[in-house]
Amino acid sequence: MINKKLLFSVKESIPYIKKNVMYQWIGLICNVCSTACLCLIITKQDNYFT
């Protein structure tokens, strides 16, 4: 967790922290999507061989 006192003591860092959090959310969404696509590919391949 981010210490709010520390965050507001250096106000110039707020935009960088917001960008960092945004990129982490985008990365999380991309990981979920790529995992879902991989699962779909595996299940289609599994159905193809049976």
Side-chain angles (χ1 to χ4, degrees), residues 32-47:
V32 169
C33 291
S34 64
T35 302
C37 289
L38 184 62
C39 290
L40 287 173
I41 290 170
I42 289 172
T43 56
K44 286 184 180 185
Q45 290 294 327
D46 187 37
N47 292 337

Side-chain angles (χ1 to χ4, degrees), residues 9-50:
S9 67
V10 185
K11 294 190 188 248
E12 297 87 27
S13 66
I14 292 175
Y16 299 110
I17 293 171
K18 287 182 180 180
K19 285 181 186 178
N20 190 354
V21 171
M22 181 186 67
Y23 290 139
Q24 287 179 359
W25 273 104
I26 291 171
L28 177 66
I29 292 169
C30 289
N31 282 333
V32 169
C33 291
S34 64
T35 302
C37 289
L38 184 62
C39 290
L40 287 173
I41 290 170
I42 289 172
T43 56
K44 286 184 180 185
Q45 290 294 327
D46 187 37
N47 292 337
Y48 179 74
F49 289 117
T50 56

